[in-house]
Amino acid sequence: MKDMKTTIKNTALIIFSAAFFSSCLQEALPSSGAIAEQIQGDASSVRAQVNSIPAAMFRFGSSYASCGYPGIMLMRDAMTADFPVYDNTYDYYGYYVGATQYLGDYDVQSDQWTLYVKLIASCNNVISMCDPDNLTESLAGFLGNALTYRAFAYLDMTRMYEYRKTGVTSLDSRAQENKIYGLTVPIVTEKTTLTESRNNPRAEFWKMYRFILTDLNDAVDYLSSYKPSEIIYADATVAHGLLARLWLEIGTRFDNYPSDLAEALSHEGDPNVTYDKLGINSAKEAFAKAAEHAKLAQVGHSPLTQDEWMNPETGFNTAPKTSSAWLWGMSIGTDDSAVHSWKSWIPEISPEVSYGVVFPLNAYRIIDARLYSGIPDSDWRKLTWINPDDAGKESAYSKYKTNLSTEAWVTIPAYTGFKFRPAQGDIDTYTTGTAVSIPLMRVEEMMLIEAEALGRSVDVGTGKSALIDFVKTYRDPDYTFGGATVSDLVDEIFRQKRIELWGEGIIMFEYKRLQKAVIRKYSGTNFLQSHQLNSPDDVVARWLNFYITSSEYQYNNALRNTLNPDPSFVSDYEY
């Protein structure tokens, strides 16, 4: 950063963003209509635009399932084998990813796409206002946050929208015919014009990886001295955390598909691509980078304690000040539009509140019975969910920390999760209870990424030691793990993530990255009959490939012939 002077790029009468992709009009900034000369040298104007970035995470859509990014988190977990619903009468995700219907050109998918597009637009607005050669520390922090959020959005979209082989012949053949393997989503930056966005193709995987890498490398530099005042703003550890996720994704891909590594390497010297080079020659090197960044992300952070996790008033609704386990999160204020009696995070996930769809309407979010049965009693996380042997018994009430009375608690079904609490433990006043913080990244995820990455880049024993140290020290003093291979280690870390990150909207990415079967139909399952769908192992469940809707492709001509096949209504017999 040169001279550290307060400045804003003075390039136009009104600053425009093309980042609504081609589906939205370019948006003039700042919203007050001020011209560049009026805001030059005024960091508060940039701050106002930075504040719009986390606000974009709570954009409501037209569908019942849309409560902003928290709704996308809920949907992603509902796609897996970990997050059954007790009664889907008022489950806003049941038709879509429970029964895997209506996954194509429908309002839920359009709402998701639009949220990311708006989020990227907000980031591009801030980036366009900042001159990287002339920044104060404050402006450097603002620019670093915009780059971090943009990378976050594109990493999400890449993992959601890239089509991966499903084992369904009709879908995979269509993907092959349309040449969509390896394609992610269109890249739109602060420099993309409206004309360019009208014919903007899906980026190849290697190009997208390098684009995201560039944003995060820059963000680490800009955030080096930035100390966020709130959990909604990113610091350097968050950028390192996203780099850890990215490199783990890259390493897994190149390990599974050496031809993809070869293709990526063939473009490293491409003069037409100005993004940072990957700078690796093997999957092992990618895993080493994942371990490195996961370690850097842990600086200043330590895992949640049992008391913090289980606290009836602050558990998973407040970034803890003592352990600093949360690296990053969303936050809902009591006056925010995201405060809603049913279309919001707490009303759709907490079993304690008297409003919403969970306690009043039986849409309890429960844990998969097989996953739960594998958690040893010595692991205190098991008390997050109601043991089937305890359900309905007053004598078991004292084992569980809850805001409910005994009379109310005994009505809750087995396996129900009590992880996410209403603010201040208020179960009756939605304007209070709904105003919570929601985790986007925790240090525990970074410790598990590090363990896997060490096992894949150093040796199994090193990764195994890191895993055992984490679980034994922070979760289960009696924990043992006898696996001897990389596959054993990866499978056990996947299981630990399913327990640790339940309900946090992350585990779907792991199913897709590791090509794990989604198994909901088995003897003793607690999935509803209509949701009992199984996918094969070593491919991706068809419903984990998201569909790009007409809200985008009708304006972007380059997408019309490269859409993912619609995965809706495919019967089990096609596997």
Side-chain angles (χ1 to χ4, degrees), residues 2 10 28 81 102 141 220 297 334 354-355 447 461 469:
K2 301 176 182 177
N10 184 12
Y102 307 107
V220 167
T334 54
S354 61
Y355 45 88
M447 298 175 84
D469 182 62

Side-chain angles (χ1 to χ4, degrees), residues 88-102:
N88 70 335
T89 304
Y90 286 91
D91 169 25
Y92 300 126
Y93 308 93
Y95 284 113
Y96 303 101
V97 294
T100 68
Q101 302 171 348
Y102 307 107

Side-chain angles (χ1 to χ4, degrees), residues 276-297:
D276 291 354
K277 295 180 180 180
L278 294 178
I280 61 169
N281 292 296
S282 67
K284 186 175 181 178
E285 290 179 39
F287 287 126
K289 286 182 176 292
E292 173 191 353
H293 287 289
K295 189 68 172 180
L296 290 168

Side-chain angles (χ1 to χ4, degrees), residues 110-123:
S110 180
D111 288 342
Q112 292 166 353
W113 180 270
T114 303
L115 183 140
Y116 281 110
V117 166
K118 299 279 188 178
L119 175 59
I120 292 167
S122 296
C123 296

Side-chain angles (χ1 to χ4, degrees), residues 74-108:
L74 289 168
M75 176 168 282
R76 286 201 299 245
D77 266 31
M79 290 176 152
T80 71
D82 303 357
F83 204 62
V85 67
Y86 178 71
D87 183 331
N88 70 335
T89 304
Y90 286 91
D91 169 25
Y92 300 126
Y93 308 93
Y95 284 113
Y96 303 101
V97 294
T100 68
Q101 302 171 348
Y102 307 107
L103 292 171
D105 202 2
Y106 300 101
D107 56 354
V108 172

Side-chain angles (χ1 to χ4, degrees), residues 399-433:
K399 289 172 56 177
Y400 300 87
K401 292 187 177 182
T402 177
N403 295 295
L404 294 174
S405 65
T406 306
E407 293 75 18
W409 183 86
V410 297
T411 67
I412 308 296
Y415 301 108
T416 295
F418 280 73
K419 184 174 179 178
F420 302 96
R421 312 291 186 147
Q424 302 176 42
D426 193 326
I427 64 175
D428 293 318
T429 311
Y430 81 86
T431 52
T432 301

Side-chain angles (χ1 to χ4, degrees), residues 99-384:
T100 68
Q101 302 171 348
Y102 307 107
L103 292 171
D105 202 2
Y106 300 101
D107 56 354
V108 172
Q109 288 72 38
S110 180
D111 288 342
Q112 292 166 353
W113 180 270
T114 303
L115 183 140
Y116 281 110
V117 166
K118 299 279 188 178
L119 175 59
I120 292 167
S122 296
C123 296
N124 283 340
N125 291 336
V126 172
I127 295 167
S128 70
M129 296 171 73
C130 296
D131 181 353
D133 293 327
N134 296 284
L135 298 170
T136 63
E137 285 194 7
S138 293
L139 286 172
F142 299 158
L143 178 55
N145 264 268
L147 290 167
T148 300
Y149 267 102
R150 185 169 75 176
F152 165 78
Y154 274 110
L155 182 56
D156 267 17
M157 294 180 82
T158 293
R159 294 183 290 177
M160 290 163 63
Y161 289 95
E162 184 182 356
Y163 186 88
R164 296 297 185 96
K165 191 169 294 186
T166 65
V168 179
T169 302
S170 60
L171 299 178
D172 294 345
S173 296
R174 204 173 317 147
Q176 185 70 37
E177 292 167 5
N178 293 341
K179 300 180 180 179
I180 64 170
Y181 282 113
L183 300 182
T184 61
V185 296
I187 295 174
V188 178
T189 73
E190 73 283 3
K191 297 178 181 179
T192 305
T193 67
L194 182 59
T195 299
E196 290 169 339
S197 67
R198 294 289 192 186
N199 191 34
N200 193 11
R202 299 173 68 173
E204 300 95 327
F205 70 90
W206 57 267
K207 184 181 291 185
M208 179 60 78
Y209 289 159
R210 289 176 59 180
F211 170 67
I212 296 171
L213 180 65
T214 303
D215 270 5
L216 291 175
N217 285 341
D218 290 343
V220 167
D221 290 339
Y222 294 133
L223 296 171
S224 60
S225 300
Y226 180 73
K227 304 298 181 185
S229 58
E230 299 177 57
I231 197 67
I232 60 175
Y233 301 115
D235 63 9
T237 63
V238 174
H240 283 300
L242 290 174
L243 281 164
R245 289 177 180 175
L246 174 65
W247 280 114
L248 191 68
E249 189 79 19
I250 293 172
T252 306
R253 181 189 202 118
F254 291 167
D255 190 46
N256 290 338
Y257 302 102
S259 60
D260 284 355
L261 170 62
E263 182 176 356
L265 292 179
S266 72
H267 292 284
E268 287 285 86
D270 192 335
N272 297 320
V273 180
T274 58
Y275 308 133
D276 291 354
K277 295 180 180 180
L278 294 178
I280 61 169
N281 292 296
S282 67
K284 186 175 181 178
E285 290 179 39
F287 287 126
K289 286 182 176 292
E292 173 191 353
H293 287 289
K295 189 68 172 180
L296 290 168
Q298 297 170 44
V299 174
H301 299 279
S302 57
L304 288 166
T305 66
Q306 182 176 358
D307 287 342
E308 288 171 333
W309 183 299
M310 300 292 182
N311 191 299
E313 295 185 357
T314 60
F316 281 92
N317 67 34
T318 306
K321 298 184 183 302
T322 53
S323 71
S324 300
W326 292 25
L327 280 69
W328 199 23
M330 295 174 281
S331 186
I332 304 174
T334 54
D335 296 327
D336 291 347
S337 60
V339 171
H340 199 284
S341 61
W342 59 270
K343 197 174 183 180
S344 191
W345 175 253
I346 288 297
E348 294 192 17
I349 198 170
S350 172
E352 297 181 306
V353 295
S354 61
Y355 45 88
V357 300
V358 184
F359 182 88
L361 299 170
N362 294 321
Y364 295 101
R365 284 296 166 186
I366 56 183
I367 190 172
D368 172 58
R370 288 203 312 177
L371 177 60
Y372 179 84
S373 67
I375 306 174
D377 291 341
S378 54
D379 187 333
W380 56 257
R381 291 174 299 185
K382 195 169 187 176
L383 290 171
T384 305

